[in-house]
mmCIF file of all heavy atoms in Angstrom:
data_model
loop_
_atom_site.group_PDB
_atom_site.id
_atom_site.type_symbol
_atom_site.label_atom_id
_atom_site.label_comp_id
_atom_site.label_asym_id
_atom_site.label_seq_id
_atom_site.Cartn_x
_atom_site.Cartn_y
_atom_site.Cartn_z
ATOM 1 N N LYS A 47 22.653 -87.918 -38.609
ATOM 2 C CA LYS A 47 23.754 -87.371 -39.426
ATOM 3 C C LYS A 47 23.733 -85.855 -39.450
ATOM 4 O O LYS A 47 24.740 -85.210 -39.671
ATOM 5 C CB LYS A 47 23.657 -87.915 -40.857
ATOM 6 C CG LYS A 47 23.877 -89.424 -40.948
ATOM 7 C CD LYS A 47 23.986 -89.905 -42.400
ATOM 8 C CE LYS A 47 24.297 -91.400 -42.450
ATOM 9 N NZ LYS A 47 24.546 -91.886 -43.824
ATOM 10 N N LEU A 59 35.787 -81.229 -33.398
ATOM 11 C CA LEU A 59 36.405 -81.808 -34.595
ATOM 12 C C LEU A 59 35.747 -81.206 -35.832
ATOM 13 O O LEU A 59 34.575 -80.885 -35.856
ATOM 14 C CB LEU A 59 36.375 -83.324 -34.584
ATOM 15 C CG LEU A 59 35.093 -84.127 -34.510
ATOM 16 C CD1 LEU A 59 34.619 -84.446 -35.908
ATOM 17 C CD2 LEU A 59 35.361 -85.419 -33.755
ATOM 18 N N HIS A 229 35.975 -88.183 -28.733
ATOM 19 C CA HIS A 229 35.691 -87.864 -30.150
ATOM 20 C C HIS A 229 34.291 -87.319 -30.320
ATOM 21 O O HIS A 229 33.532 -87.762 -31.172
ATOM 22 C CB HIS A 229 35.904 -89.096 -31.034
ATOM 23 C CG HIS A 229 36.430 -88.720 -32.372
ATOM 24 N ND1 HIS A 229 35.786 -89.011 -33.545
ATOM 25 C CD2 HIS A 229 37.545 -88.044 -32.724
ATOM 26 C CE1 HIS A 229 36.477 -88.538 -34.570
ATOM 27 N NE2 HIS A 229 37.555 -87.948 -34.099
ATOM 28 N N ASN A 232 30.269 -89.436 -30.788
ATOM 29 C CA ASN A 232 30.275 -90.719 -31.519
ATOM 30 C C ASN A 232 29.286 -91.676 -30.897
ATOM 31 O O ASN A 232 28.698 -91.400 -29.853
ATOM 32 C CB ASN A 232 31.691 -91.299 -31.486
ATOM 33 C CG ASN A 232 32.144 -91.535 -30.063
ATOM 34 O OD1 ASN A 232 31.845 -92.566 -29.482
ATOM 35 N ND2 ASN A 232 32.798 -90.549 -29.476
ATOM 36 N N CYS A 233 29.098 -92.820 -31.535
ATOM 37 C CA CYS A 233 28.060 -93.769 -31.131
ATOM 38 C C CYS A 233 28.158 -94.165 -29.659
ATOM 39 O O CYS A 233 27.179 -94.092 -28.910
ATOM 40 C CB CYS A 233 28.148 -95.012 -32.020
ATOM 41 S SG CYS A 233 26.986 -96.305 -31.611
ATOM 42 N N SER A 234 29.346 -94.561 -29.204
ATOM 43 C CA SER A 234 29.459 -95.043 -27.808
ATOM 44 C C SER A 234 29.346 -93.896 -26.818
ATOM 45 O O SER A 234 28.742 -94.045 -25.749
ATOM 46 C CB SER A 234 30.781 -95.789 -27.612
ATOM 47 O OG SER A 234 31.884 -94.983 -27.988
ATOM 48 N N PRO A 262 31.420 -103.668 -34.972
ATOM 49 C CA PRO A 262 32.471 -103.572 -35.993
ATOM 50 C C PRO A 262 32.388 -102.285 -36.820
ATOM 51 O O PRO A 262 33.348 -101.893 -37.459
ATOM 52 C CB PRO A 262 32.251 -104.795 -36.883
ATOM 53 C CG PRO A 262 30.885 -105.269 -36.576
ATOM 54 C CD PRO A 262 30.569 -104.856 -35.170
ATOM 55 N N LEU A 263 31.283 -101.598 -36.793
ATOM 56 C CA LEU A 263 31.216 -100.315 -37.508
ATOM 57 C C LEU A 263 31.837 -99.199 -36.674
ATOM 58 O O LEU A 263 32.068 -98.103 -37.168
ATOM 59 C CB LEU A 263 29.768 -99.948 -37.843
ATOM 60 C CG LEU A 263 29.049 -100.868 -38.838
ATOM 61 C CD1 LEU A 263 27.680 -100.280 -39.201
ATOM 62 C CD2 LEU A 263 29.875 -101.106 -40.090
ATOM 63 N N HIS A 264 32.086 -99.492 -35.400
ATOM 64 C CA HIS A 264 32.611 -98.468 -34.465
ATOM 65 C C HIS A 264 33.965 -98.950 -33.942
ATOM 66 O O HIS A 264 34.852 -99.272 -34.723
ATOM 67 C CB HIS A 264 31.555 -98.233 -33.371
ATOM 68 C CG HIS A 264 31.794 -97.087 -32.448
ATOM 69 N ND1 HIS A 264 32.683 -96.075 -32.666
ATOM 70 C CD2 HIS A 264 31.215 -96.800 -31.249
ATOM 71 C CE1 HIS A 264 32.658 -95.219 -31.664
ATOM 72 N NE2 HIS A 264 31.772 -95.623 -30.779
ATOM 73 N N GLY A 265 34.131 -99.087 -32.673
ATOM 74 C CA GLY A 265 35.448 -99.458 -32.130
ATOM 75 C C GLY A 265 35.871 -100.857 -32.513
ATOM 76 O O GLY A 265 37.071 -101.152 -32.584
ATOM 77 N N ALA A 267 36.024 -102.019 -35.199
ATOM 78 C CA ALA A 267 36.662 -101.991 -36.526
ATOM 79 C C ALA A 267 38.147 -102.292 -36.435
ATOM 80 O O ALA A 267 38.744 -102.865 -37.355
ATOM 81 C CB ALA A 267 36.446 -100.632 -37.190
ATOM 82 N N ALA A 292 34.953 -104.223 -51.910
ATOM 83 C CA ALA A 292 34.434 -103.127 -51.060
ATOM 84 C C ALA A 292 33.531 -102.210 -51.863
ATOM 85 O O ALA A 292 32.615 -101.599 -51.322
ATOM 86 C CB ALA A 292 35.604 -102.334 -50.481
ATOM 87 N N LYS A 293 33.769 -102.139 -53.191
ATOM 88 C CA LYS A 293 32.975 -101.247 -54.045
ATOM 89 C C LYS A 293 31.700 -101.914 -54.545
ATOM 90 O O LYS A 293 30.780 -101.243 -55.011
ATOM 91 C CB LYS A 293 33.831 -100.814 -55.251
ATOM 92 C CG LYS A 293 34.976 -99.906 -54.882
ATOM 93 C CD LYS A 293 36.084 -99.921 -55.909
ATOM 94 C CE LYS A 293 35.637 -99.509 -57.281
ATOM 95 N NZ LYS A 293 36.788 -99.425 -58.223
ATOM 96 N N LYS A 295 28.272 -103.272 -54.574
ATOM 97 C CA LYS A 295 27.061 -103.087 -53.748
ATOM 98 C C LYS A 295 26.422 -104.414 -53.364
ATOM 99 O O LYS A 295 25.712 -104.514 -52.380
ATOM 100 C CB LYS A 295 26.028 -102.240 -54.520
ATOM 101 C CG LYS A 295 26.390 -100.770 -54.578
ATOM 102 C CD LYS A 295 26.399 -100.151 -53.186
ATOM 103 C CE LYS A 295 27.165 -98.858 -53.145
ATOM 104 N NZ LYS A 295 27.816 -98.632 -51.862
ATOM 105 N N PHE A 299 30.969 -106.844 -48.019
ATOM 106 C CA PHE A 299 32.318 -106.529 -47.547
ATOM 107 C C PHE A 299 32.574 -105.039 -47.601
ATOM 108 O O PHE A 299 32.250 -104.382 -48.592
ATOM 109 C CB PHE A 299 33.364 -107.238 -48.418
ATOM 110 C CG PHE A 299 34.781 -106.862 -48.069
ATOM 111 C CD1 PHE A 299 35.417 -107.442 -46.978
ATOM 112 C CD2 PHE A 299 35.480 -105.906 -48.809
ATOM 113 C CE1 PHE A 299 36.719 -107.087 -46.644
ATOM 114 C CE2 PHE A 299 36.779 -105.535 -48.482
ATOM 115 C CZ PHE A 299 37.399 -106.131 -47.399
ATOM 116 N N ARG A 300 33.074 -104.482 -46.521
ATOM 117 C CA ARG A 300 33.516 -103.096 -46.503
ATOM 118 C C ARG A 300 34.989 -103.058 -46.152
ATOM 119 O O ARG A 300 35.481 -103.946 -45.448
ATOM 120 C CB ARG A 300 32.738 -102.292 -45.449
ATOM 121 C CG ARG A 300 31.355 -101.944 -45.914
ATOM 122 C CD ARG A 300 30.760 -100.838 -45.102
ATOM 123 N NE ARG A 300 29.694 -100.179 -45.849
ATOM 124 C CZ ARG A 300 29.042 -99.110 -45.393
ATOM 125 N NH1 ARG A 300 29.365 -98.597 -44.241
ATOM 126 N NH2 ARG A 300 28.090 -98.543 -46.104
ATOM 127 N N LEU A 301 35.667 -102.014 -46.616
ATOM 128 C CA LEU A 301 37.065 -101.857 -46.274
ATOM 129 C C LEU A 301 37.117 -101.361 -44.825
ATOM 130 O O LEU A 301 36.894 -100.187 -44.545
ATOM 131 C CB LEU A 301 37.706 -100.821 -47.214
ATOM 132 C CG LEU A 301 39.132 -101.050 -47.657
ATOM 133 C CD1 LEU A 301 39.361 -102.477 -48.096
ATOM 134 C CD2 LEU A 301 39.469 -100.096 -48.804
ATOM 135 N N MET A 302 37.355 -102.272 -43.899
ATOM 136 C CA MET A 302 37.332 -101.890 -42.494
ATOM 137 C C MET A 302 38.478 -100.933 -42.186
ATOM 138 O O MET A 302 39.562 -101.053 -42.760
ATOM 139 C CB MET A 302 37.424 -103.134 -41.610
ATOM 140 C CG MET A 302 36.289 -104.118 -41.825
ATOM 141 S SD MET A 302 34.682 -103.321 -41.896
ATOM 142 C CE MET A 302 34.314 -103.177 -40.170
ATOM 143 N N GLY A 303 38.203 -99.949 -41.347
ATOM 144 C CA GLY A 303 39.215 -98.932 -41.052
ATOM 145 C C GLY A 303 39.187 -97.785 -42.041
ATOM 146 O O GLY A 303 39.986 -96.869 -41.969
ATOM 147 N N PHE A 304 38.203 -97.861 -42.976
ATOM 148 C CA PHE A 304 38.054 -96.772 -43.952
ATOM 149 C C PHE A 304 36.695 -96.104 -43.788
ATOM 150 O O PHE A 304 35.709 -96.768 -43.473
ATOM 151 C CB PHE A 304 38.155 -97.343 -45.371
ATOM 152 C CG PHE A 304 39.473 -97.081 -46.031
ATOM 153 C CD1 PHE A 304 40.587 -97.821 -45.677
ATOM 154 C CD2 PHE A 304 39.620 -96.081 -46.974
ATOM 155 C CE1 PHE A 304 41.822 -97.580 -46.259
ATOM 156 C CE2 PHE A 304 40.859 -95.838 -47.570
ATOM 157 C CZ PHE A 304 41.945 -96.596 -47.211
ATOM 158 N N GLY A 305 36.665 -94.814 -44.027
ATOM 159 C CA GLY A 305 35.400 -94.067 -43.967
ATOM 160 C C GLY A 305 35.136 -93.564 -42.568
ATOM 161 O O GLY A 305 35.689 -94.074 -41.598
ATOM 162 N N HIS A 306 34.287 -92.545 -42.495
ATOM 163 C CA HIS A 306 33.958 -91.970 -41.193
ATOM 164 C C HIS A 306 32.725 -91.098 -41.341
ATOM 165 O O HIS A 306 32.539 -90.447 -42.370
ATOM 166 C CB HIS A 306 35.124 -91.115 -40.677
ATOM 167 C CG HIS A 306 35.045 -90.845 -39.214
ATOM 168 N ND1 HIS A 306 34.277 -89.834 -38.695
ATOM 169 C CD2 HIS A 306 35.601 -91.495 -38.171
ATOM 170 C CE1 HIS A 306 34.384 -89.862 -37.369
ATOM 171 N NE2 HIS A 306 35.167 -90.854 -37.029
ATOM 172 N N ARG A 307 31.887 -91.118 -40.312
ATOM 173 C CA ARG A 307 30.678 -90.311 -40.353
ATOM 174 C C ARG A 307 31.007 -88.818 -40.436
ATOM 175 O O ARG A 307 30.332 -88.062 -41.118
ATOM 176 C CB ARG A 307 29.848 -90.587 -39.078
ATOM 177 C CG ARG A 307 28.662 -89.663 -38.859
ATOM 178 C CD ARG A 307 27.682 -89.714 -39.980
ATOM 179 N NE ARG A 307 27.158 -91.040 -40.245
ATOM 180 C CZ ARG A 307 26.268 -91.660 -39.499
ATOM 181 N NH1 ARG A 307 25.812 -91.079 -38.419
ATOM 182 N NH2 ARG A 307 25.828 -92.861 -39.835
ATOM 183 N N VAL A 308 32.078 -88.416 -39.805
ATOM 184 C CA VAL A 308 32.357 -86.965 -39.766
ATOM 185 C C VAL A 308 33.553 -86.595 -40.642
ATOM 186 O O VAL A 308 33.496 -85.671 -41.433
ATOM 187 C CB VAL A 308 32.618 -86.508 -38.304
ATOM 188 C CG1 VAL A 308 32.989 -85.031 -38.265
ATOM 189 C CG2 VAL A 308 31.412 -86.788 -37.433
ATOM 190 N N LYS A 310 35.594 -86.210 -43.582
ATOM 191 C CA LYS A 310 35.522 -86.373 -45.046
ATOM 192 C C LYS A 310 36.863 -85.944 -45.615
ATOM 193 O O LYS A 310 36.967 -85.457 -46.719
ATOM 194 C CB LYS A 310 34.357 -85.542 -45.590
ATOM 195 C CG LYS A 310 33.001 -85.970 -44.994
ATOM 196 C CD LYS A 310 32.751 -87.477 -45.124
ATOM 197 C CE LYS A 310 31.505 -87.951 -44.372
ATOM 198 N NZ LYS A 310 31.453 -89.433 -44.254
ATOM 199 N N ASP A 313 41.521 -88.648 -41.268
ATOM 200 C CA ASP A 313 41.331 -88.648 -39.811
ATOM 201 C C ASP A 313 42.701 -88.291 -39.221
ATOM 202 O O ASP A 313 43.671 -89.030 -39.416
ATOM 203 C CB ASP A 313 40.899 -90.063 -39.379
ATOM 204 C CG ASP A 313 40.666 -90.181 -37.879
ATOM 205 O OD1 ASP A 313 41.309 -89.432 -37.119
ATOM 206 O OD2 ASP A 313 39.870 -91.054 -37.489
ATOM 207 N N ARG A 315 43.988 -88.561 -36.525
ATOM 208 C CA ARG A 315 44.548 -89.610 -35.656
ATOM 209 C C ARG A 315 45.216 -90.696 -36.501
ATOM 210 O O ARG A 315 46.252 -91.249 -36.145
ATOM 211 C CB ARG A 315 43.441 -90.214 -34.795
ATOM 212 C CG ARG A 315 42.718 -89.198 -33.917
ATOM 213 C CD ARG A 315 41.443 -89.774 -33.345
ATOM 214 N NE ARG A 315 40.500 -90.109 -34.426
ATOM 215 C CZ ARG A 315 39.324 -90.698 -34.201
ATOM 216 N NH1 ARG A 315 38.954 -91.025 -32.956
ATOM 217 N NH2 ARG A 315 38.510 -90.994 -35.208
ATOM 218 N N TYR A 352 35.819 -94.485 -56.538
ATOM 219 C CA TYR A 352 34.746 -94.838 -55.589
ATOM 220 C C TYR A 352 35.053 -94.240 -54.223
ATOM 221 O O TYR A 352 34.210 -93.604 -53.604
ATOM 222 C CB TYR A 352 34.634 -96.360 -55.470
ATOM 223 C CG TYR A 352 33.680 -96.843 -54.400
ATOM 224 C CD1 TYR A 352 32.357 -97.155 -54.705
ATOM 225 C CD2 TYR A 352 34.101 -96.973 -53.072
ATOM 226 C CE1 TYR A 352 31.480 -97.603 -53.720
ATOM 227 C CE2 TYR A 352 33.233 -97.410 -52.087
ATOM 228 C CZ TYR A 352 31.929 -97.723 -52.409
ATOM 229 O OH TYR A 352 31.061 -98.149 -51.418
ATOM 230 N N PHE A 353 36.286 -94.388 -53.763
ATOM 231 C CA PHE A 353 36.657 -93.900 -52.435
ATOM 232 C C PHE A 353 36.838 -92.382 -52.445
ATOM 233 O O PHE A 353 36.456 -91.691 -51.511
ATOM 234 C CB PHE A 353 37.944 -94.609 -51.958
ATOM 235 C CG PHE A 353 37.706 -96.047 -51.622
ATOM 236 C CD1 PHE A 353 37.755 -97.016 -52.613
ATOM 237 C CD2 PHE A 353 37.377 -96.430 -50.332
ATOM 238 C CE1 PHE A 353 37.488 -98.351 -52.317
ATOM 239 C CE2 PHE A 353 37.113 -97.772 -50.022
ATOM 240 C CZ PHE A 353 37.175 -98.731 -51.022
ATOM 241 N N ARG A 356 33.514 -90.548 -52.459
ATOM 242 C CA ARG A 356 32.788 -90.687 -51.185
ATOM 243 C C ARG A 356 33.615 -90.186 -49.990
ATOM 244 O O ARG A 356 33.217 -90.353 -48.832
ATOM 245 C CB ARG A 356 32.373 -92.145 -50.974
ATOM 246 C CG ARG A 356 31.297 -92.608 -51.937
ATOM 247 C CD ARG A 356 31.082 -94.097 -51.885
ATOM 248 N NE ARG A 356 30.012 -94.521 -52.778
ATOM 249 C CZ ARG A 356 30.156 -94.629 -54.106
ATOM 250 N NH1 ARG A 356 31.350 -94.354 -54.661
ATOM 251 N NH2 ARG A 356 29.140 -95.006 -54.862
ATOM 252 N N LEU A 358 36.302 -91.286 -48.654
ATOM 253 C CA LEU A 358 36.606 -92.385 -47.721
ATOM 254 C C LEU A 358 38.114 -92.453 -47.505
ATOM 255 O O LEU A 358 38.879 -92.735 -48.422
ATOM 256 C CB LEU A 358 36.086 -93.714 -48.283
ATOM 257 C CG LEU A 358 34.582 -93.759 -48.546
ATOM 258 C CD1 LEU A 358 34.205 -95.107 -49.167
ATOM 259 C CD2 LEU A 358 33.781 -93.543 -47.262
ATOM 260 N N ASN A 361 40.669 -94.352 -41.161
ATOM 261 C CA ASN A 361 40.282 -93.747 -39.885
ATOM 262 C C ASN A 361 41.166 -94.270 -38.762
ATOM 263 O O ASN A 361 42.129 -95.000 -39.015
ATOM 264 C CB ASN A 361 38.790 -93.996 -39.612
ATOM 265 C CG ASN A 361 38.455 -95.486 -39.552
ATOM 266 O OD1 ASN A 361 39.148 -96.261 -38.875
ATOM 267 N ND2 ASN A 361 37.445 -95.896 -40.285
ATOM 268 N N VAL A 362 40.826 -93.920 -37.564
ATOM 269 C CA VAL A 362 41.672 -94.221 -36.399
ATOM 270 C C VAL A 362 41.953 -95.716 -36.277
ATOM 271 O O VAL A 362 42.987 -96.124 -35.760
ATOM 272 C CB VAL A 362 41.001 -93.704 -35.100
ATOM 273 C CG1 VAL A 362 39.711 -94.494 -34.806
ATOM 274 C CG2 VAL A 362 41.943 -93.746 -33.920
ATOM 275 N N ASP A 363 41.042 -96.534 -36.821
ATOM 276 C CA ASP A 363 41.185 -97.988 -36.616
ATOM 277 C C ASP A 363 42.057 -98.670 -37.653
ATOM 278 O O ASP A 363 42.356 -99.865 -37.531
ATOM 279 C CB ASP A 363 39.791 -98.633 -36.636
ATOM 280 C CG ASP A 363 38.968 -98.203 -35.435
ATOM 281 O OD1 ASP A 363 39.509 -98.253 -34.319
ATOM 282 O OD2 ASP A 363 37.812 -97.783 -35.625
ATOM 283 N N PHE A 384 40.836 -99.787 -27.184
ATOM 284 C CA PHE A 384 40.098 -98.592 -27.603
ATOM 285 C C PHE A 384 39.261 -98.079 -26.420
ATOM 286 O O PHE A 384 39.241 -96.900 -26.097
ATOM 287 C CB PHE A 384 39.184 -98.932 -28.784
ATOM 288 C CG PHE A 384 38.614 -97.741 -29.528
ATOM 289 C CD1 PHE A 384 38.495 -97.768 -30.910
ATOM 290 C CD2 PHE A 384 38.180 -96.605 -28.868
ATOM 291 C CE1 PHE A 384 37.966 -96.690 -31.613
ATOM 292 C CE2 PHE A 384 37.647 -95.515 -29.545
ATOM 293 C CZ PHE A 384 37.537 -95.564 -30.925
ATOM 294 N N ARG A 388 39.260 -94.538 -24.536
ATOM 295 C CA ARG A 388 38.042 -93.715 -24.604
ATOM 296 C C ARG A 388 37.432 -93.440 -23.235
ATOM 297 O O ARG A 388 36.607 -92.527 -23.080
ATOM 298 C CB ARG A 388 37.011 -94.416 -25.513
ATOM 299 C CG ARG A 388 35.728 -93.668 -25.797
ATOM 300 C CD ARG A 388 35.891 -92.232 -26.352
ATOM 301 N NE ARG A 388 36.774 -92.094 -27.458
ATOM 302 C CZ ARG A 388 36.419 -92.200 -28.737
ATOM 303 N NH1 ARG A 388 35.178 -92.506 -29.047
ATOM 304 N NH2 ARG A 388 37.276 -92.040 -29.712
HETATM 305 C C1 SDX B 1 35.105 -95.184 -35.309
HETATM 306 O O1 SDX B 1 31.944 -91.430 -34.920
HETATM 307 C C2 SDX B 1 33.141 -91.483 -34.494
HETATM 308 O O2 SDX B 1 33.776 -90.508 -34.168
HETATM 309 C C3 SDX B 1 33.727 -92.892 -34.417
HETATM 310 C C4 SDX B 1 35.195 -92.999 -34.078
HETATM 311 C C5 SDX B 1 35.482 -92.538 -32.672
HETATM 312 O O3 SDX B 1 36.626 -92.127 -32.411
HETATM 313 O O4 SDX B 1 34.582 -92.672 -31.804
HETATM 314 O O5 SDX B 1 35.947 -92.203 -34.977
HETATM 315 C C6 SDX B 1 35.701 -94.430 -34.159
HETATM 316 O O6 SDX B 1 34.095 -95.817 -35.142
HETATM 317 C C7 SDX B 1 35.760 -95.075 -36.666
HETATM 318 C C8 SDX B 1 34.976 -95.842 -37.781
HETATM 319 C C9 SDX B 1 35.355 -97.331 -37.688
HETATM 320 N N1 SDX B 1 34.501 -98.124 -38.592
HETATM 321 C C10 SDX B 1 34.994 -98.696 -39.722
HETATM 322 O O7 SDX B 1 36.139 -98.541 -40.129
HETATM 323 C C11 SDX B 1 33.990 -99.581 -40.449
HETATM 324 C C12 SDX B 1 34.044 -99.298 -41.958
HETATM 325 N N2 SDX B 1 33.481 -97.942 -42.172
HETATM 326 C C13 SDX B 1 32.092 -97.865 -42.512
HETATM 327 O O8 SDX B 1 31.256 -98.863 -42.105
HETATM 328 C C14 SDX B 1 31.537 -96.431 -42.517
HETATM 329 O O9 SDX B 1 32.440 -95.664 -43.182
HETATM 330 C C15 SDX B 1 31.183 -95.789 -41.186
HETATM 331 C C16 SDX B 1 30.279 -96.640 -40.373
HETATM 332 C C17 SDX B 1 32.403 -95.485 -40.399
HETATM 333 C C18 SDX B 1 30.476 -94.464 -41.496
HETATM 334 O O10 SDX B 1 29.289 -94.784 -42.096
HETATM 335 P P1 SDX B 1 28.257 -93.635 -42.588
HETATM 336 O O11 SDX B 1 28.699 -92.291 -42.158
HETATM 337 O O12 SDX B 1 26.888 -94.077 -42.163
HETATM 338 O O13 SDX B 1 28.425 -93.643 -44.132
HETATM 339 P P2 SDX B 1 27.628 -94.577 -45.089
HETATM 340 O O14 SDX B 1 27.587 -95.966 -44.539
HETATM 341 O O15 SDX B 1 26.343 -93.893 -45.408
HETATM 342 O O16 SDX B 1 28.587 -94.592 -46.396
HETATM 343 C C19 SDX B 1 28.481 -93.593 -47.389
HETATM 344 C C20 SDX B 1 28.902 -94.300 -48.676
HETATM 345 C C21 SDX B 1 28.069 -95.558 -48.958
HETATM 346 O O17 SDX B 1 28.099 -95.769 -50.365
HETATM 347 P P3 SDX B 1 26.806 -95.220 -51.257
HETATM 348 O O18 SDX B 1 25.559 -95.781 -50.592
HETATM 349 O O19 SDX B 1 26.893 -93.715 -51.169
HETATM 350 O O20 SDX B 1 27.047 -95.781 -52.629
HETATM 351 O O21 SDX B 1 30.259 -94.774 -48.560
HETATM 352 C C22 SDX B 1 30.283 -96.192 -48.628
HETATM 353 C C23 SDX B 1 28.877 -96.676 -48.344
HETATM 354 O O22 SDX B 1 28.637 -97.929 -48.955
HETATM 355 N N3 SDX B 1 31.227 -96.661 -47.608
HETATM 356 C C24 SDX B 1 32.101 -97.644 -47.768
HETATM 357 C C25 SDX B 1 32.829 -97.697 -46.569
HETATM 358 N N4 SDX B 1 32.388 -96.748 -45.722
HETATM 359 C C26 SDX B 1 31.387 -96.106 -46.370
HETATM 360 N N5 SDX B 1 32.321 -98.493 -48.789
HETATM 361 C C27 SDX B 1 33.310 -99.406 -48.612
HETATM 362 N N6 SDX B 1 34.073 -99.511 -47.491
HETATM 363 C C28 SDX B 1 33.850 -98.668 -46.453
HETATM 364 N N7 SDX B 1 34.589 -98.761 -45.338
#
Side-chain angles (χ1 to χ4, degrees):
K47 295 189 176 186
L59 59 92
H229 214 239
N232 60 85
C233 178
S234 55
L263 294 187
H264 189 15
K293 291 158 59 175
K295 285 296 161 212
F299 175 80
R300 283 197 158 184
L301 216 46
M302 300 315 277
F304 257 76
H306 198 277
R307 171 59 57 75
V308 177
K310 300 308 172 193
D313 180 331
R315 302 167 297 176
Y352 173 94
F353 289 86
R356 291 170 178 77
L358 301 177
N361 59 48
V362 67
D363 293 313
F384 194 141
R388 185 53 50 89

